[in-house]
């Protein structure tokens, strides 16, 4: 039965007709224990969801919808390794990665490689080539967790990156290349890889000592000259945006050490166990997913903002953009029929203090309802006590300002308020808490996707753009035009072929 025909959906529609007239100030007055009632703590993450437009009845009705949508059965299937990725007939194995009882053999290979590399005083630069899930997760985590050290790590994702150009001017024997690509046919990554390999070969640098790869297709890496023993194989059931806990974490484990990497896995495992064992009413990823769905499908919100107030989480919003939007940017259900309701939101974000001087105006006084996830750490040894108090005070004051608003006699100075937010507070940003945070969002995405009856683990749209790019590159190289193409594309191909006439 379609989601919108379920009686549980209709009950929520009816509830919304009452809730839409409520405001957060009033809800706190009616229930002075909201903070206690609507906060949970697990894996060193304290989650305050009391400043959301919910009451206990909302939660109960959302859980009834989740149960009707067979969320518990879907969670079970995910953790049992069933083919939850229905269009590719694959399991989604990211939870299994952090279960120590049956870690993939490739981890043993990875740890061996790391031990060897750590013995190499000649290595000064790690060049990590990758894009999407082969870049965003590793970069986010290395930036968050790797303390300053002699080994410098450079993440290169696109073509013509000036950082890569600079690196190709350095001493090649001081560089170690990690080519990260699940498919090993992503043009951007392979173009950069061939650049670096040519540089190594020109300088007679041994690929056996300086070149490693992470991919599902080791033969493709071997065909480019990367020695087999330097290739870590990624299982087909590990989605790119879900791969940070896999051997895609090589660069992370290299930069923070094997034990801290295992702490990262332990944090994700702790959140996994919470997700699979906690009752839905006390389940952090379930409740945060349901609350998001409540805004998306009943309040009609279109976007969600991720605002970390810890400089170590600078790249966390960009990482979540792919995790959420590439997973939930779907409009066809698992049964191949089109949805008749909204699915994935637009996700954006920025380090909170910067965002306060950038887009907070729209969040406070714009016409959009944009739910916010504030993320902070209760302890941050990188900051003085004064700086840390300032950071936390900003989170609490902004969260409060969004809720209460400000009434003045001048309309343009009035803040409407009643804008919801959730505060996720890590005890401290550590491998353990970052692993738990990553797993929290992975499972939150899954919860919403199950109810929306969409597949969060495929990404069929992205190959089309790549194919069109290959076609156009062919025409640009051979100075040909395809008359079947649209007039704009033909116009650009013509212009490009006569570009010399436009050069100054
Ligand atoms: O964006 C499409 C995509 O396939 C992502 O899902 C993936 O993380 C990224 O491109 C990189 O793919 P690969 O790891 O195969 O180079």
């Amino acid at each position: 039965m379609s989601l919108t025909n379920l009686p549980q959906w209709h009950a929520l529609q009816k509830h919304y007709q009452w809730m839409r007239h409520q405001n957060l100030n009033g809800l706190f007055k009616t229930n002075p224990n909201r903070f206690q009632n609507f906060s949970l703590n697990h894996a060193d993450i304290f989650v305050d969801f009391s400043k959301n437009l919910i009451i206990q009845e909302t939660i109960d009705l959302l859980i009834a919808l989740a149960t009707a949508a067979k969320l518990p059965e879907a969670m079970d299937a995910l953790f049992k390794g069933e083919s939850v990725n229905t269009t590719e007939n694959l399991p989604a194995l990211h939870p299994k990665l952090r279960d120590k009882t049956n870690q993939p053999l490739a981890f043993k290979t990875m740890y061996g490689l790391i031990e060897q590399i750590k013995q190499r005083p000649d290595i000064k630069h790690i060049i990590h080539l990758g894009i999407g899930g082969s870049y965003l997760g590793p970069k986010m985590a290395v930036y968050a967790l790797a303390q300053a050290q002699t080994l410098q790590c450079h993440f290169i994702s696109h073509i013509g990156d000036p950082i890569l150009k600079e690196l190709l001017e350095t001493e090649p024997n001081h560089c170690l290349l990690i080519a990260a690509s699940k498919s090993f046919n992503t043009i951007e990554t392979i173009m950069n890889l061939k650049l670096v390999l040519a540089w190594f070969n020109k300088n007679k640098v041994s690929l056996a000592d300086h070149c490693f790869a992470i991919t599902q297709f080791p033969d493709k890496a071997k065909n480019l000259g990367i020695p087999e023993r330097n290739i870590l194989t990624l299982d087909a059931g590990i989605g790119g945006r879900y791969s940070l806990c896999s051997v895609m974490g090589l660069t992370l484990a290299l930069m923070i050490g094997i034990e801290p990497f295992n702490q990262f896995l332990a944090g994700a495992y702790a959140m996994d166990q919470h997700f699979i064992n906690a009752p839905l009413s006390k389940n952090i990823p379930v409740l945060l997913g349901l609350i998001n769905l409540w805004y998306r499908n009943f309040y009609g919100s279109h976007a969600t903002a991720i605002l970390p107030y810890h400089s170590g989480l600078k790249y966390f919003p960009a990482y979540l953009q792919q995790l959420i939007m590439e997973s939930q940017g779907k409009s066809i259900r698992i049964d191949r029929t089109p949805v008749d309701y909204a699915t994935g939101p637009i996700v954006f974000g920025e380090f909170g203090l910067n965002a306060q001087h950038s887009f907070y105006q729209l969040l406070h006084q714009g016409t959009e309802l944009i739910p916010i996830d504030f993320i902070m750490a209760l302890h941050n040894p990188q900051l003085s006590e004064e700086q840390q108090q300032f950071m936390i005070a900003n989170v609490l004051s902004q969260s409060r300002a969004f809720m209460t608003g400000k009434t003045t006699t001048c309309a343009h100075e009035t803040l409407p308020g009643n804008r919801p937010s959730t505060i996720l507070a890590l005890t401290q940003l550590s491998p353990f808490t970052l692993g738990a945070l990553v797993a929290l969002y992975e499972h939150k995405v899954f919860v919403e996707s199950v109810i929306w009856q969409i597949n969060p683990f495929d990404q069929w749209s992205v190959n089309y753009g790549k194919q069109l790019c290959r076609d156009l590159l062919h025409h640009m190289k051979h100075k040909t035009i395809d008359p079947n193409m649209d007039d704009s594309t033909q116009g650009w191909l013509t212009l490009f072929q006569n570009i010399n006439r436009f050069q100054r």
Side-chain angles (χ1 to χ4, degrees):
M1 178 187 283
S2 172
L3 183 63
T4 51
N5 294 333
L6 289 173
Q8 293 81 0
W9 181 274
H10 296 153
L12 279 161
Q13 284 178 316
K14 184 165 174 277
H15 180 60
Y16 168 70
Q17 289 311 318
W18 179 79
M19 275 300 291
R20 63 199 287 257
H21 301 297
Q22 309 310 308
N23 77 55
L24 283 163
N25 295 327
L27 296 178
F28 270 94
K29 282 202 184 73
T30 318
N31 172 4
N33 300 319
R34 278 182 68 88
F35 179 66
Q36 186 186 341
N37 296 156
F38 296 133
S39 57
L40 286 167
N41 187 6
H42 190 80
D44 290 344
I45 301 181
F46 184 88
V47 180
D48 167 15
F49 54 99
S50 64
K51 295 198 192 84
N52 278 290
L53 289 159
I54 56 169
I55 57 175
Q56 190 52 49
E57 184 184 355
T58 321
I59 298 292
D60 297 344
L61 291 171
L62 284 166
I63 287 174
L65 178 70
T67 308
K70 300 198 181 323
L71 175 64
E73 293 85 342
M75 290 162 65
D76 211 33
L78 170 68
F79 277 75
K80 278 184 179 152
E82 292 176 15
S83 296
V84 292
N85 178 351
T86 50
T87 58
E88 296 175 306
N89 194 26
L90 285 169
L93 296 175
H94 50 287
K96 287 202 179 300
L97 293 166
R98 40 257 194 169
D99 177 355
K100 274 191 168 317
T101 59
N102 71 341
Q103 260 182 356
L105 268 179
F107 273 68
K108 199 161 174 296
T109 312
M110 176 169 82
Y111 295 153
L113 289 179
I114 291 170
E115 293 299 352
Q116 288 167 30
I117 296 167
K118 284 289 188 189
Q119 310 302 322
R120 300 272 303 279
D122 54 323
I123 301 298
K124 308 255 184 299
H125 298 283
I126 303 291
I127 303 174
H128 177 112
L129 301 180
I131 199 164
S134 299
Y135 162 84
L136 290 165
K139 179 178 181 182
M140 176 276 293
V142 166
Y143 188 85
L145 299 175
Q147 313 300 337
Q149 48 190 299
T150 50
L151 202 52
Q152 291 182 59
C153 191
H154 312 275
F155 289 92
I156 310 291
S157 63
H158 59 77
I159 303 301
D161 188 323
I163 297 174
L164 184 58
K165 282 188 180 166
E166 277 172 39
L167 285 164
L168 297 183
E169 302 294 325
T170 63
E171 170 45 58
N173 278 298
H174 291 168
C175 293
L176 186 137
L177 170 67
I178 295 175
S181 176
K182 181 177 176 185
S183 63
F184 233 76
N185 75 355
T186 301
I187 298 176
E188 300 90 331
T189 304
I190 301 305
M191 279 176 87
N192 280 332
L193 174 57
K194 287 178 177 172
L195 257 181
V196 180
L197 290 176
W199 181 56
F200 278 168
N201 293 332
K202 182 173 156 227
N203 290 280
K204 297 186 177 31
V205 169
S206 146
L207 297 192
D209 294 336
H210 292 267
C211 191
F212 297 81
I214 307 162
T215 182
Q216 180 185 340
F217 302 100
D219 287 347
K220 290 184 181 177
K222 273 194 301 189
N223 291 344
L224 287 174
I226 300 173
E228 186 166 7
R229 67 185 180 81
N230 286 12
I231 301 169
L232 293 173
T233 304
L234 201 57
D235 190 299
I238 303 290
R241 55 193 175 276
Y242 295 90
S243 63
L244 184 52
C245 292
S246 73
V247 290
M248 187 56 75
L250 169 63
T251 307
L252 174 61
L254 195 53
M255 293 304 291
I256 66 173
I258 294 172
E259 182 38 42
F261 182 72
N262 277 310
Q263 275 304 308
F264 175 77
L265 297 179
Y269 181 72
M271 188 55 71
D272 291 342
Q273 293 307 299
H274 168 72
F275 180 54
I276 200 69
N277 295 315
L280 300 187
S281 61
K282 297 290 179 201
N283 194 307
I284 295 170
V286 169
L287 291 173
L288 296 191
L290 289 173
I291 290 169
N292 235 36
L293 184 141
W294 173 235
Y295 295 132
R296 188 87 178 96
N297 296 112
F298 296 90
Y299 278 82
S301 73
H302 299 100
T304 186
I306 307 293
L307 303 171
Y309 278 74
H310 189 303
S311 50
L313 291 174
K314 174 180 178 182
Y315 297 113
F316 197 70
Y319 158 76
L320 275 193
Q321 267 186 331
Q322 186 200 13
L323 177 65
I324 298 171
M325 295 174 78
E326 195 164 80
S327 296
Q328 297 184 339
K330 315 287 169 67
S331 53
I332 298 296
R333 277 185 287 230
I334 282 174
D335 68 3
R336 306 287 198 270
T337 62
V339 296
D340 58 354
Y341 43 81
T343 56
I346 295 159
V347 176
F348 67 102
E350 167 63 67
F351 172 53
L353 291 179
N354 286 351
Q356 287 177 206
H357 301 273
S358 157
F359 50 74
Y360 266 47
Q361 170 59 37
L362 182 138
L363 296 181
H364 275 296
Q365 287 187 309
T367 55
E368 290 290 327
L369 172 76
I370 299 178
I372 293 165
D373 280 4
F374 289 106
I375 304 172
M376 66 177 180
L378 297 177
H379 303 284
N380 183 346
Q382 317 286 328
L383 299 184
S384 68
E385 187 181 346
E386 184 191 14
Q387 289 171 324
Q388 176 63 358
Q389 283 176 356
F390 179 72
M391 199 73 91
I392 291 179
N394 270 277
V395 172
L396 300 183
S397 56
Q398 288 294 342
S399 169
R400 176 168 163 71
F402 281 118
M403 173 177 84
T404 59
K406 183 180 84 172
T407 307
T408 70
T409 50
C410 306
H412 62 277
E413 291 179 19
T414 296
L415 275 63
N418 211 33
R419 304 209 163 175
S421 65
T422 299
I423 299 177
L424 297 96
L426 315 180
T427 45
Q428 179 169 330
L429 181 59
S430 67
F432 184 89
T433 56
L434 186 63
L437 191 66
V438 163
L440 188 161
Y441 276 100
E442 287 175 343
H443 297 322
K444 177 181 175 197
V445 165
F446 182 70
V447 166
E448 294 160 294
S449 304
V450 168
I451 297 170
W452 286 331
Q453 301 166 7
I454 58 176
N455 177 2
F457 302 119
D458 63 4
Q459 52 287 322
W460 291 100
S461 70
V462 295
N463 297 323
Y464 181 55
K466 292 178 187 177
Q467 185 48 52
L468 291 185
C469 181
R470 286 190 174 91
D471 296 347
L472 281 170
L473 277 173
H474 173 84
H475 288 296
M476 291 165 81
K477 280 197 175 95
H478 297 84
K479 294 193 177 304
T480 53
I481 305 271
D482 178 345
N484 300 315
M485 283 185 177
D486 64 272
D487 192 43
S488 165
T489 306
Q490 289 190 56
W492 280 106
L493 281 173
T494 306
L495 188 148
F496 182 79
Q497 286 160 20
N498 301 286
I499 198 86
N500 309 349
R501 285 182 23 217
F502 295 91
Q503 264 165 347
R504 298 209 190 300

